[in-house]
Amino acid sequence: MKETLSGNEAIARGAYEAGVKVASAYPGTPSTEILENIVRYPEINASWAPNEKVALEVGIGASFGGGRAIVAMKHVGVNVAADPLFTLSYTGVKGGLLLITADDPELHSSQNEQDNRHYARFAKVPMLEPSDSQECLDFTKLAFEISERYDTPVMLRTTTRISHGKSVVETSAPVTDLPQPHLMRDPAKYVMLPGNARKRHFVVEQRMSDLAKDAATLPVNRIEMRDASMGIITSGVSYHYVREVLPEASVLKLGLVHPLPLDLIREFAGKVETLYVVEELDPFIEEQVKALGIAVKGKELLSLCGELTPGRLRQGFGLPAAQQMAAEDLPGRPPNMCPGCPHRGVFYTLNRMKAYVSGDIGCYTLGFMPPLSAMDTCVCMGASIGMASGVVKVIPEEERSKVVAVIGDSTFLHTGVNGLMDMVYNKAASTVIILDNRITAMTGRQENPASGHTLMDDPTFSVDLHMLCKAVGVQHVRTMNPLDLAECEKVITEEMARPEVSVIITNKPCVLIKREGVFKKGPCYVVDPLSCTGCRACLKIGCPAIQWLPGEGKKGIAHIDALLCTGCDVCRQLCKFSAIGEANER
Amino acid sequence: MSDKVTNILLVGVGGQGILLASEILSETFMLAGYDVKKSEIHGMSQRGGSVVSHVRFGSKVYSPIVPEGEGDILFGFEILESYRSLPLLRPGATVVVNDLCIPPPAVLNGQQEYPAGLPEKIAARFPDFLLIDGQKLAADAGNARAANTVLLGAISNRLQIEEKYWQEALERMVPKKALAVNLAAFALGRSL
Ligand code: SF4
Ligand code: SF4
């Protein structure tokens, strides 16, 4: 059947058609929808893991048990999963195992732009790179064949344009003749003590060289001869930009980007006059082609930074640009926390207290934006607590009480709890605020071990964050209502002054939680235009529901959008003139 | 079927339903037998940021994004975002815009003003310009939230695609209980 599917939907479909038994992931843009779509196939046991390392370990277990497994994450997630990955390369698999890395050129929603093709080379595993949704489906199925034929995990790399782009896909029926998983023992292969691993390293090298030879005959690597004066080696979405902008050029399209089909590259280079590599981010293919002694042009024409686009390709090849009107300077529209977000009050308070805020990855990273402007660092998932420990180790005594780490519920369970263990164990006195909104909010509200529900929406045990903090040794754990500014100020002041580790857990949910009874909307608020003095105090929380009307009143007045207001009450507490109140009272 | 690829851009603010509208468009083109590619960035933009969705259809489509300066049709859900995206268009492109201003943060807090006179400036550059009161028309059709579908109807007029494919796409993509309102909203838009 024909359907328009996104790359992520097509991968999910491919997993189903390949007879996958287990899927595990931690949500991360742009990879999140892979698992969200796998849920449509009840044959697959799909679950959110607390982090990417655990997700991969679940996949490895399923594979060793003889079932096919798929594990998905965004590019930076592979950094977390790298430890098991490198040894998995040595053990190989039983049931096929596919690891998806969804890269994000242009950093549409990421903290760096790393090119994960290097991981395939570094970990010595084959990597496929699809260029549209049809290939996402086909390559997912192919990955399992390669995985089992060569006894190796396989990586599949997508980029944001592939993951979230939609194109027409032909689907087919799932395979039916896969062996039934059961316990199988083979310690020489699966126990990587040095003695065993040393032998396996030879197996790994042999496998990669076999694959490199066979790569020339894999139909996913193909030469398309057109005009021989210009030959372009390319892969992934770049292939389509090449076809769009340079339709006459001959192309070597690579579906397998590691190991490279060196014979095919030599053959292609011999057929064309000038050879180019068109690739996003790093000169991954280019450098290996140059190492063959073949003259090739690549990164001198295209940037190492950012996504490729048809326009950038045109510019790189010196083609005339389309006639375009110039961009004007217009008010920007950066993302903002939702109206009524429970984190706003905490950041407002931290800003007022001039705290040095060690931040983390999630919606609350937006606490960096003005007017809240209350975040001083943000590096990676779970890092805020460890970094707070580090900074108090070096700064003078009188500055130490200024340091506060903030972290979300999901992020705390991802890798934050390890930092907290270290903080207690090594006696680095700092304050940690767990912004518990009871869902993995930033990526679109995925369940996590503290939310009480699984990916399949079954009710389950939910981690007690308070007891968890106690269990790792925190003596002072308290709960705080983040929508009560006086309480925020009191609790945060007290805990910052404490020369010991303390944890504050906020107790209001994300306003977007859909499950009944978790988030309760309050009464709608209005500004009384007669009492409003135009002092602008309420604008300091940056709530999207509050608008400044410069033309009204003496100095202008504030106005609350009734459709956006969730009745969180934070703005009312900011108004010294009691101009803000519940709508029905006015 | 002509070989030429048609480039459509849907722009607006996160949360306005742009992704669903572009899905309905893509579905329509696929049903009508075309090759279709659609691409947008979401993630951060879910929190009220700018959204640009690219939809391209033709007998064979390569790039999933509209090449800069080659947009044929701009489908704007909000005025400022529509104006911001004009550089993506080719001269003479069609521009259909919902008459709605959503102030961005710097305007909300009074640091900047929402630029005035944007519809007139768009009309001056792109003569094939239509400003639609989507909210009002949708309310006439039975639900102010179906404004997107009114706009879809207005766009459908400018594309040579049989009406039955639009209907079928709406039936496939819109939840059952909202279908009647959306079909009415579509018809209103198509009559513009
Ligand atoms: S999604 Fe939830 S946590 Fe994120 S900004 Fe909105 S209310 Fe806050
Ligand atoms: S804080 Fe009160 S008085 Fe000041 S601008 Fe806001 S509503 Fe008006």
Side-chain angles (χ1 to χ4, degrees), chain B residues 109-130:
Chain B
N109 69 22
Q111 283 173 355
Q112 273 178 298
E113 274 178 41
Y114 194 98
L118 294 182
E120 294 74 23
K121 282 168 110 177
I122 302 175
R125 276 187 181 277
F126 295 91
D128 188 8
F129 171 64
L130 181 63

Side-chain angles (χ1 to χ4, degrees), chain A residues 337 347 360-369 375 378 442, chain B residues 44:
Chain A
M337 288 188 284
F347 284 112
D360 220 295
I361 311 273
C363 289
Y364 46 92
T365 314
L366 300 173
F368 165 77
M369 310 288 273
M375 188 161 292
C378 172
M442 185 55 149
Chain B
M44 290 288 236

Side-chain angles (χ1 to χ4, degrees), chain A residues 337-338 341-343 363 437 441 510-512, chain B residues 47:
Chain A
M337 288 188 284
C338 306
C341 176
H343 308 324
C363 289
N437 53 41
C510 169
V511 303
L512 296 183
Chain B
R47 308 282 171 272

Side-chain angles (χ1 to χ4, degrees), chain A residues 161 166 309 314 328 333, chain B residues 38-39 68 70 81 83:
Chain A
R161 289 293 164 191
K166 283 208 168 191
T309 64
R314 234 180 234 151
E328 273 176 53
R333 199 182 293 273
Chain B
K38 162 178 162 295
S39 155
E68 297 89 330
E70 290 185 20
E81 293 313 308
Y83 192 76

